[in-house]
Amino acid sequence: MFDTVLVANRGEIAVRVIRTLREMGVRSVAVHSDADAEARHVREADTAVRIGPPPAADSYLSVPALLDAAKRTGAQAVHPGYGFLAENAAFAQACADAGLVFIGPSATAISLMGDKIRAKETVKAAGVPVVPGAADPELAEAARELGAPVLLKPSAGGGGKGMRLVRDLSTLDDEIAAARREARSSFGDDTLLVERWIDRPRHIEIQVLADSHGNVIHLGERECSLQRRHQKIIEEAPSVLLTPEIRASMGAAAVEAARSCGYVGAGTVEFIVPGGDPSSYYFMEMNTRLQVEHPVTELITGIDLVEWQLRVAAGEPLPFAQEDVRLDGWAVEARICAEDPARGFLPSGGTVLALHEPRGAGVRTDSGLAGGTEVSSLYDPMLSKVIVHAADRPTALRKLRAALGELVTLGVPTNAGFLRRLLAHPDVVSGDLDTGLVERDAESLVDAGVPAEVYAAAALLRHFPPAPAASGWVDPFDGRTGWRLGGTPAWTALGFRVPGHEPVTVRLRGEAPSAELLLGEGAEAVSAATVGTATGSALVVAVDGVTHRFTVAPSPEGLWLGRDGDSWHVLDHDPVEAALSGARHGGADTLAAPMPGTVTVVKVAVGDEVEAGQSLLVVEAMKMEHVISAPHAGTVTELDVTPGTTVAMDQILAVVTPREEGDA
């Protein structure tokens, strides 16, 4: 076994790998960009090495820096995690050339399975069923022969980038051109393949494990059909779709696929499966690395996949055979991402002001977060994973919903509340899944409004801040009761705004802990009790006899309130100041950043005349680009950013003054 292993990754996967290294008595080395100098994976490793130079987003891709870090710390092996260089054959070869063990398959296997065209040809020759299709240069002809609908896919890379579903073949040429552009931009390779599209498909993958002594086994399947934009968001093991016979057949096919490329280590063979006929499964691709969703397999098999990645890489044979693998109970995983469902799932960011991650019997959280963590726009939006294990599927779904309700990440909007509602969707509960379910029903699962009790809680905290311990006389004029001579108490108006929603005015009068509020149309008696208001504290609010419990954290602009996986950033709003700001712009439209990120492109200057819909700026965050367009024809009268400017959500980027009627 190795003495020291360098983890060439960051975030939750680096923390997770370091955990197993610690349990095995192996020294861990973390690497970090300047942006991650205080990150959790850096603090939990035995030692850490800064890699650079900036930009920080590229630091983890610097092969020379990673090899130098390994040499300086005496590492004998490198664990690549997933993402970044995990499926980079050149990196695997560079490690081998430097005398380091790459904890994963050989560069040859990575190269073969990373090319979807060669991979399909290889596994097809081994007798594994593949989706009917073809590749360049016969792409267009093959698509027309297959007939609509067809799916265009880049040969290199994954993650849904460059994929195009074509249902109307009259648009085929345009779709091919668009897919090539995105593939070239994302992977540096615009080679495409086309496959027959299977309507309402299910995405099922098989975990394989192979050693260097010729032993290859599978560890059952994972159902990964709940996806958004081709990205998995909920995964479970096993799948309700498969019978024991189909599981054995798919498992055998996955083992043959692994054997066909001389695979060594942990890997995943992915299949597309018609929901109406699960026996007609087709090979889709092989991921030559650890998968994000590997914990569900670990929980139902009792096998630590990272441990066996290390043991296999160190030359140990697998001590168990296929007949020794037993599947126990059910496991379900939810991916927690820094994104705002109410704003079209745009990437979010910020500082983690309050954090509570569920743990306990049957509940596991894999996370790279800590209190004070700065979630930037440089990296992938996935922050953590909440995984549960139970005796059966209904219990596992229920436990995961409860765990997501306990999750608190105030300061950074996440998709936790969305996932909690998704787990209660009737089709999810019944197991009637397909890869299009989330996209079809996403709108109904987004909590678009702000509950009245959120504003009630904000008003009570704002108006009745916790007083210090009483010590002597208190000036009655310091009270906030609205008292006035000879009459009922006066109303105090407080303005609030939650980003993405219209401002709200709450009127309040009376004394703490009981007060009277005007929330919208009518007045309701509200009583409140607070248990502190420090970061991560609890707040209990009763509105019209119904008790609501929140977690609260202050922010420089207002405060955060969270419950049941959802959170709201409640900002103070001054209607007079807002009116003056509107007057300053004289009716012009301000263009604000839709997400925290970096301005990468500026196409205009102050004084330029623009047309409605014209692209003016591009903001990039977490590998996603958002184009800012002119809302109408007019003149750019303000421009507050340049390429490379880091912007906050809702920060004003530019102002376009409308063209007056009659202007040319």
Side-chain angles (χ1 to χ4, degrees):
M1 182 47 60
F2 316 107
D3 294 321
T4 303
V5 172
L6 181 140
V7 183
N9 218 295
R10 65 178 301 278
E12 60 88 17
I13 184 55
V15 173
R16 187 265 170 274
V17 172
I18 289 168
R19 183 176 71 238
T20 288
L21 291 174
R22 185 183 305 115
E23 291 171 354
M24 296 178 69
V26 177
R27 180 169 168 262
S28 60
V29 178
V31 293
H32 66 88
S33 66
D34 289 345
D36 278 344
E38 302 298 323
R40 179 175 168 182
H41 76 279
V42 174
R43 297 203 304 267
E44 295 204 4
D46 293 302
T47 191
V49 179
R50 174 190 177 271
I51 51 176
D58 297 332
S59 299
Y60 296 94
L61 300 176
S62 175
V63 173
L66 292 168
L67 297 181
D68 179 65
K71 180 179 179 181
R72 290 164 58 192
T73 55
Q76 299 120 344
V78 175
H79 194 299
Y82 38 67
F84 292 129
L85 298 171
E87 292 182 286
N88 187 298
F91 179 52
Q93 189 60 54
C95 288
D97 293 342
L100 296 166
V101 175
F102 180 81
I103 300 177
S106 66
T108 301
I110 294 174
S111 178
L112 175 58
M113 286 299 168
D115 182 331
K116 292 184 177 63
I117 296 171
R118 290 175 59 206
K120 287 184 66 175
E121 292 171 347
T122 301
V123 301
K124 185 177 181 180
V128 179
V130 300
V131 180
D136 283 329
E138 297 87 14
L139 196 73
E141 294 80 358
R144 292 187 173 91
E145 184 176 331
L146 287 169
V150 295
L151 183 67
L152 302 173
K153 299 170 63 175
S155 176
K161 291 179 172 60
M163 292 177 64
R164 291 286 191 283
L165 174 60
V166 183
R167 292 190 179 276
D168 181 358
L169 293 182
S170 67
T171 66
L172 180 64
D173 293 339
D174 290 340
E175 295 287 1
I176 288 175
R180 287 198 196 284
R181 285 195 302 271
E182 189 170 348
R184 190 183 307 117
S185 172
S186 299
F187 313 117
D189 183 347
D190 65 0
T191 305
L192 301 178
L193 65 156
V194 63
E195 294 177 346
R196 175 182 295 156
W197 174 254
I198 299 170
D199 272 315
R200 299 180 74 89
R202 295 177 76 137
H203 185 140
I204 294 178
E205 59 192 29
I206 304 289
Q207 177 72 57
V208 296
L209 194 57
D211 63 24
S212 57
H213 302 271
N215 302 306
V216 187
I217 64 171
H218 72 84
L219 304 179
E221 81 279 5
R222 297 186 287 256
E223 170 100 40
C224 305
S225 297
L226 293 175
Q227 304 178 8
R228 191 182 58 76
R229 296 175 185 160
H230 304 293
Q231 296 277 358
K232 305 165 189 173
I233 54 177
I234 298 285
E235 302 101 350
E236 61 182 295
S239 167
V240 295
L241 185 67
L242 302 193
T243 64
E245 293 75 21
I246 297 175
R247 176 177 297 115
S249 177
M250 287 183 71
V255 166
E256 288 307 310
R259 287 190 189 280
S260 71
C261 65
Y263 199 84
V264 173
T268 302
V269 182
E270 304 199 358
F271 294 90
I272 199 78
V273 182
D277 183 14
S279 63
S280 299
Y281 53 85
Y282 302 103
F283 171 86
M284 187 165 56
E285 62 186 6
M286 183 174 187
N287 286 293
T288 53
R289 54 171 168 80
L290 199 65
Q291 290 280 85
V292 174
E293 57 273 20
H294 74 275
V296 294
T297 295
E298 292 183 322
L299 290 177
I300 66 167
T301 61
I303 295 172
D304 184 327
L305 287 171
V306 174
E307 176 184 348
W308 280 102
Q309 281 187 298
L310 265 73
R311 293 193 181 282
V312 164
E316 294 186 25
L318 295 176
F320 36 79
Q322 189 63 60
E323 57 269 21
D324 299 319
V325 176
R326 295 286 184 271
L327 306 185
D328 174 29
W330 219 278
V332 191
E333 172 182 292
R335 300 190 188 192
I336 309 303
C337 296
E339 61 185 16
D340 190 346
R343 298 176 69 132
F345 296 94
L346 286 175
S348 64
T351 302
V352 179
L353 303 174
L355 178 67
H356 172 73
E357 296 178 324
R359 302 181 192 277
V363 180
R364 163 179 164 180
T365 299
D366 285 7
S367 170
L369 294 177
T373 296
E374 183 69 31
V375 177
S376 77
S377 61
L378 295 172
Y379 305 112
D380 187 271
M382 193 178 74
L383 305 175
S384 63
K385 305 173 306 196
V386 180
I387 317 104
V388 302
H389 181 230
D392 52 59
R393 187 172 186 269
T395 305
L397 293 178
R398 188 169 60 251
K399 286 182 66 172
L400 183 53
R401 290 191 71 237
L404 292 175
E406 295 177 19
L407 179 67
V408 174
T409 53
L410 296 188
V412 181
T414 75
N415 62 341
F418 174 86
L419 296 178
R420 191 167 184 264
R421 288 182 285 276
L422 174 61
L423 289 166
H425 189 289
D427 288 346
V428 175
V429 172
S430 69
D432 185 16
L433 313 177
D434 68 85
T435 58
L437 186 154
V438 177
E439 299 289 358
R440 289 194 305 270
D441 290 356
E443 189 173 339
S444 67
L445 300 169
V446 172
D447 189 12
V450 180
E453 57 268 21
V454 171
Y455 292 116
L460 288 162
L461 282 174
R462 180 78 170 78
H463 196 63
F464 300 122
S471 58
W473 180 80
V474 177
D475 188 338
F477 288 98
D478 288 339
R480 298 184 177 185
T481 63
W483 179 87
R484 55 187 173 184
L485 185 64
T488 57
W491 291 103
T492 298
L494 301 174
F496 299 106
R497 180 176 65 85
V498 173
H501 302 273
E502 291 298 315
V504 169
T505 298
V506 179
R507 291 173 174 80
L508 179 149
R509 67 183 179 188
E511 298 186 30
S514 296
E516 191 177 15
L517 297 185
L518 281 172
L519 296 168
E521 298 300 320
E524 298 180 348
V526 175
S527 61
T530 61
V531 185
T533 53
T535 298
S537 67
L539 171 70
V540 180
V541 177
V543 180
D544 197 22
V546 179
T547 299
H548 306 273
R549 288 177 172 82
F550 295 96
T551 302
V552 183
S555 76
E557 309 87 9
L559 56 90
W560 284 84
L561 292 162
R563 68 168 183 199
D564 296 338
D566 290 311
S567 65
W568 301 269
H569 193 192
V570 185
L571 308 174
D572 293 333
H573 175 73
D574 186 336
V576 175
E577 183 181 334
L580 290 174
S581 176
R584 282 198 301 271
H585 292 122
D589 272 357
T590 58
L591 305 180
M595 56 190 180
T598 302
V599 176
T600 56
V601 178
V602 177
K603 300 181 179 180
V604 292
V606 172
D608 284 359
E609 296 292 324
V610 297
E611 299 300 323
Q614 180 178 331
S615 173
L616 309 182
L617 306 152
V618 176
V619 178
E620 181 180 304
M622 298 175 178
K623 304 180 182 179
M624 177 185 291
E625 287 190 347
H626 192 89
V627 178
I628 309 297
S629 302
H632 48 232
T635 305
V636 178
T637 52
E638 290 184 33
L639 185 63
D640 301 329
V641 295
T642 59
T645 300
T646 300
V647 296
M649 186 166 61
D650 292 332
Q651 179 177 330
I652 293 177
L653 308 176
V655 177
V656 177
T657 301
R659 185 178 298 163
E660 293 185 11
E661 203 168 317
D663 288 353

